[in-house]
Short mmCIF file of all heavy atoms in Angstrom, two decimals:
data_model
loop_
_atom_site.label_atom_id
_atom_site.label_comp_id
_atom_site.label_asym_id
_atom_site.label_seq_id
_atom_site.Cartn_x
_atom_site.Cartn_y
_atom_site.Cartn_z
N GLY O 6 14.58 -4.25 -5.68
CA GLY O 6 13.73 -4.95 -6.66
C GLY O 6 14.17 -4.69 -8.09
O GLY O 6 13.38 -4.83 -9.03
N ALA O 8 15.95 -6.35 -10.11
CA ALA O 8 16.07 -7.48 -11.05
C ALA O 8 14.70 -7.94 -11.53
O ALA O 8 14.60 -8.91 -12.28
CB ALA O 8 16.81 -8.65 -10.39
N GLY O 9 13.64 -7.24 -11.12
CA GLY O 9 12.29 -7.57 -11.58
C GLY O 9 11.96 -6.81 -12.85
O GLY O 9 12.83 -6.17 -13.46
N PHE O 10 10.72 -6.87 -13.23
CA PHE O 10 10.29 -6.29 -14.51
C PHE O 10 10.53 -4.78 -14.58
O PHE O 10 11.35 -4.30 -15.38
CB PHE O 10 8.79 -6.64 -14.71
CG PHE O 10 8.06 -5.83 -15.71
CD1 PHE O 10 8.57 -5.61 -16.99
CD2 PHE O 10 6.80 -5.29 -15.40
CE1 PHE O 10 7.87 -4.86 -17.93
CE2 PHE O 10 6.09 -4.55 -16.33
CZ PHE O 10 6.62 -4.32 -17.59
N ILE O 11 9.87 -4.02 -13.74
CA ILE O 11 9.99 -2.55 -13.86
C ILE O 11 11.35 -2.09 -13.33
O ILE O 11 12.00 -1.22 -13.92
CB ILE O 11 8.85 -1.82 -13.12
CG1 ILE O 11 7.49 -2.38 -13.57
CG2 ILE O 11 8.91 -0.32 -13.38
CD1 ILE O 11 6.30 -1.81 -12.79
N GLY O 12 11.78 -2.69 -12.22
CA GLY O 12 13.07 -2.30 -11.63
C GLY O 12 14.22 -2.47 -12.62
O GLY O 12 15.08 -1.59 -12.73
N ASP O 31 18.27 -6.97 -4.52
CA ASP O 31 17.12 -7.79 -4.91
C ASP O 31 17.26 -9.16 -4.27
O ASP O 31 18.34 -9.77 -4.26
CB ASP O 31 17.07 -7.92 -6.44
CG ASP O 31 15.70 -8.40 -6.93
OD1 ASP O 31 15.30 -9.53 -6.59
OD2 ASP O 31 15.04 -7.63 -7.66
N LYS O 32 16.15 -9.66 -3.77
CA LYS O 32 16.14 -10.97 -3.11
C LYS O 32 16.22 -12.10 -4.12
O LYS O 32 16.54 -13.24 -3.76
CB LYS O 32 14.83 -11.07 -2.31
CG LYS O 32 14.71 -12.27 -1.42
CD LYS O 32 13.40 -12.18 -0.62
CE LYS O 32 13.15 -13.45 0.16
NZ LYS O 32 11.88 -13.38 0.91
N LEU O 33 15.94 -11.80 -5.38
CA LEU O 33 15.86 -12.82 -6.43
C LEU O 33 14.83 -13.90 -6.07
O LEU O 33 15.14 -15.09 -5.96
CB LEU O 33 17.23 -13.43 -6.75
CG LEU O 33 18.26 -12.46 -7.33
CD1 LEU O 33 19.58 -13.17 -7.64
CD2 LEU O 33 17.74 -11.75 -8.57
N THR O 34 13.61 -13.45 -5.89
CA THR O 34 12.48 -14.38 -5.77
C THR O 34 12.25 -14.97 -7.15
O THR O 34 12.98 -14.67 -8.10
CB THR O 34 11.20 -13.64 -5.33
OG1 THR O 34 10.82 -12.76 -6.40
CG2 THR O 34 11.41 -12.85 -4.04
N ALA O 36 10.42 -13.94 -9.27
CA ALA O 36 10.21 -12.84 -10.22
C ALA O 36 11.50 -12.07 -10.52
O ALA O 36 11.54 -11.29 -11.48
CB ALA O 36 9.17 -11.87 -9.67
N GLY O 37 12.53 -12.28 -9.72
CA GLY O 37 13.79 -11.57 -9.93
C GLY O 37 14.67 -12.38 -10.86
O GLY O 37 14.79 -13.60 -10.72
N GLY O 56 19.68 -9.76 -1.64
CA GLY O 56 19.25 -9.63 -0.25
C GLY O 56 17.83 -9.13 -0.15
O GLY O 56 17.21 -8.77 -1.15
N ASP O 57 17.35 -9.11 1.10
CA ASP O 57 15.94 -8.86 1.39
C ASP O 57 15.77 -7.45 1.96
O ASP O 57 16.54 -7.06 2.86
CB ASP O 57 15.52 -9.91 2.44
CG ASP O 57 14.03 -10.01 2.63
OD1 ASP O 57 13.34 -8.97 2.59
OD2 ASP O 57 13.55 -11.14 2.83
N ILE O 58 14.75 -6.74 1.50
CA ILE O 58 14.50 -5.40 2.08
C ILE O 58 14.06 -5.51 3.55
O ILE O 58 14.02 -4.51 4.25
CB ILE O 58 13.46 -4.57 1.29
CG1 ILE O 58 12.11 -5.30 1.17
CG2 ILE O 58 14.00 -4.14 -0.06
CD1 ILE O 58 10.95 -4.40 0.77
N PHE O 79 11.31 -0.54 -5.50
CA PHE O 79 10.44 -1.35 -6.36
C PHE O 79 10.13 -2.70 -5.71
O PHE O 79 9.20 -3.38 -6.15
CB PHE O 79 11.13 -1.67 -7.70
CG PHE O 79 11.33 -0.51 -8.62
CD1 PHE O 79 12.53 0.18 -8.65
CD2 PHE O 79 10.32 -0.12 -9.50
CE1 PHE O 79 12.72 1.24 -9.52
CE2 PHE O 79 10.50 0.93 -10.37
CZ PHE O 79 11.71 1.61 -10.38
N ALA O 80 10.95 -3.12 -4.76
CA ALA O 80 10.85 -4.50 -4.26
C ALA O 80 9.46 -4.78 -3.70
O ALA O 80 8.97 -4.06 -2.84
CB ALA O 80 11.90 -4.73 -3.17
N ALA O 81 8.84 -5.83 -4.21
CA ALA O 81 7.50 -6.21 -3.75
C ALA O 81 7.14 -7.56 -4.34
O ALA O 81 7.70 -7.99 -5.33
CB ALA O 81 6.47 -5.17 -4.21
N SER O 83 4.24 -8.89 -6.45
CA SER O 83 3.45 -8.02 -7.33
C SER O 83 2.27 -8.67 -8.03
O SER O 83 1.52 -7.98 -8.72
CB SER O 83 4.39 -7.43 -8.40
OG SER O 83 4.81 -8.46 -9.28
N THR O 98 6.89 -9.04 2.63
CA THR O 98 7.74 -8.11 1.85
C THR O 98 7.11 -6.73 1.74
O THR O 98 7.76 -5.71 2.01
CB THR O 98 8.01 -8.70 0.44
OG1 THR O 98 8.97 -9.73 0.58
CG2 THR O 98 8.56 -7.64 -0.50
N VAL O 130 7.58 3.11 -4.99
CA VAL O 130 6.84 2.82 -6.23
C VAL O 130 5.59 2.03 -5.86
O VAL O 130 5.68 0.91 -5.37
CB VAL O 130 7.72 2.02 -7.20
CG1 VAL O 130 6.94 1.70 -8.47
CG2 VAL O 130 9.01 2.77 -7.51
N SER O 131 4.43 2.64 -6.09
CA SER O 131 3.20 1.94 -5.75
C SER O 131 2.25 1.86 -6.96
O SER O 131 2.66 2.11 -8.09
CB SER O 131 2.53 2.59 -4.53
OG SER O 131 1.51 1.73 -4.06
N THR O 132 1.02 1.50 -6.68
CA THR O 132 0.11 1.07 -7.73
C THR O 132 -1.24 1.77 -7.65
O THR O 132 -1.66 2.20 -6.57
CB THR O 132 -0.09 -0.46 -7.60
OG1 THR O 132 -1.16 -0.87 -8.44
CG2 THR O 132 -0.46 -0.88 -6.17
N TYR O 158 -2.89 -8.35 -2.31
CA TYR O 158 -1.79 -7.57 -2.91
C TYR O 158 -2.02 -6.08 -2.72
O TYR O 158 -1.16 -5.36 -2.19
CB TYR O 158 -1.66 -7.89 -4.41
CG TYR O 158 -0.85 -6.85 -5.17
CD1 TYR O 158 0.51 -6.70 -4.96
CD2 TYR O 158 -1.47 -5.98 -6.08
CE1 TYR O 158 1.25 -5.72 -5.62
CE2 TYR O 158 -0.75 -5.00 -6.75
CZ TYR O 158 0.61 -4.88 -6.52
OH TYR O 158 1.33 -3.91 -7.17
N LYS O 162 0.06 -3.25 -0.52
CA LYS O 162 0.67 -2.04 -1.10
C LYS O 162 0.10 -0.79 -0.42
O LYS O 162 0.82 0.18 -0.17
CB LYS O 162 0.44 -1.98 -2.61
CG LYS O 162 1.20 -3.00 -3.43
CD LYS O 162 2.72 -2.85 -3.37
CE LYS O 162 3.24 -1.62 -4.08
NZ LYS O 162 4.73 -1.61 -4.14
N CYS O 185 1.12 3.97 -10.00
CA CYS O 185 1.08 3.79 -11.46
C CYS O 185 0.04 2.74 -11.87
O CYS O 185 -0.28 1.83 -11.11
CB CYS O 185 2.46 3.38 -11.95
SG CYS O 185 2.60 3.38 -13.75
N SER O 186 -0.41 2.87 -13.09
CA SER O 186 -1.34 1.90 -13.68
C SER O 186 -0.56 0.70 -14.24
O SER O 186 0.66 0.61 -14.08
CB SER O 186 -2.14 2.59 -14.78
OG SER O 186 -1.25 3.06 -15.77
N ASN O 187 -1.25 -0.18 -14.94
CA ASN O 187 -0.64 -1.42 -15.45
C ASN O 187 0.48 -1.14 -16.45
O ASN O 187 0.26 -0.45 -17.45
CB ASN O 187 -1.68 -2.27 -16.19
CG ASN O 187 -2.60 -2.98 -15.23
OD1 ASN O 187 -3.31 -2.34 -14.47
ND2 ASN O 187 -2.60 -4.30 -15.27
N ASN O 188 1.63 -1.71 -16.18
CA ASN O 188 2.78 -1.60 -17.10
C ASN O 188 2.83 -2.78 -18.04
O ASN O 188 2.34 -3.87 -17.72
CB ASN O 188 4.09 -1.61 -16.31
CG ASN O 188 4.38 -0.32 -15.58
OD1 ASN O 188 5.53 0.07 -15.45
ND2 ASN O 188 3.36 0.37 -15.09
P1 NAD Z 401 8.16 -7.96 -10.21
O1 NAD Z 401 7.41 -8.98 -9.43
O2 NAD Z 401 8.46 -8.20 -11.64
O3 NAD Z 401 9.55 -7.64 -9.50
C1 NAD Z 401 9.68 -7.52 -8.10
C2 NAD Z 401 11.15 -7.63 -7.76
O4 NAD Z 401 11.29 -7.45 -6.35
C3 NAD Z 401 11.77 -8.99 -8.11
O5 NAD Z 401 13.02 -8.81 -8.73
C4 NAD Z 401 11.92 -9.68 -6.76
O6 NAD Z 401 12.99 -10.59 -6.71
C5 NAD Z 401 12.16 -8.48 -5.85
N1 NAD Z 401 11.78 -8.74 -4.45
C6 NAD Z 401 10.65 -9.36 -4.00
N2 NAD Z 401 10.68 -9.42 -2.67
C7 NAD Z 401 11.83 -8.84 -2.26
C8 NAD Z 401 12.41 -8.58 -0.99
N3 NAD Z 401 11.81 -8.98 0.13
N4 NAD Z 401 13.60 -7.95 -0.95
C9 NAD Z 401 14.23 -7.57 -2.08
N5 NAD Z 401 13.73 -7.79 -3.31
C10 NAD Z 401 12.54 -8.41 -3.41
O7 NAD Z 401 7.32 -6.61 -10.01
P2 NAD Z 401 7.16 -5.37 -11.00
O8 NAD Z 401 5.99 -5.60 -11.87
O9 NAD Z 401 8.48 -5.03 -11.58
O10 NAD Z 401 6.73 -4.26 -9.94
C11 NAD Z 401 7.72 -3.47 -9.28
C12 NAD Z 401 7.02 -2.50 -8.34
O11 NAD Z 401 6.11 -1.68 -9.07
C13 NAD Z 401 6.16 -3.20 -7.27
O12 NAD Z 401 6.30 -2.47 -6.08
C14 NAD Z 401 4.74 -3.10 -7.80
O13 NAD Z 401 3.81 -3.05 -6.74
C15 NAD Z 401 4.81 -1.77 -8.53
N6 NAD Z 401 3.87 -1.60 -9.66
C16 NAD Z 401 3.82 -2.55 -10.66
C17 NAD Z 401 2.98 -2.33 -11.75
C18 NAD Z 401 2.90 -3.33 -12.88
O14 NAD Z 401 2.05 -3.18 -13.77
N7 NAD Z 401 3.75 -4.35 -12.94
C19 NAD Z 401 2.20 -1.18 -11.82
C20 NAD Z 401 2.28 -0.26 -10.76
C21 NAD Z 401 3.14 -0.47 -9.71
#
Side-chain angles (χ1 to χ4, degrees):
F10 162 48
I11 307 174
D31 197 296
K32 187 176 173 182
L33 296 181
T34 67
D57 193 322
I58 57 163
F79 291 96
S83 69
T98 284
V130 179
S131 192
T132 169
Y158 163 69
K162 290 296 290 187
C185 189
S186 60
N187 284 62
N188 285 213

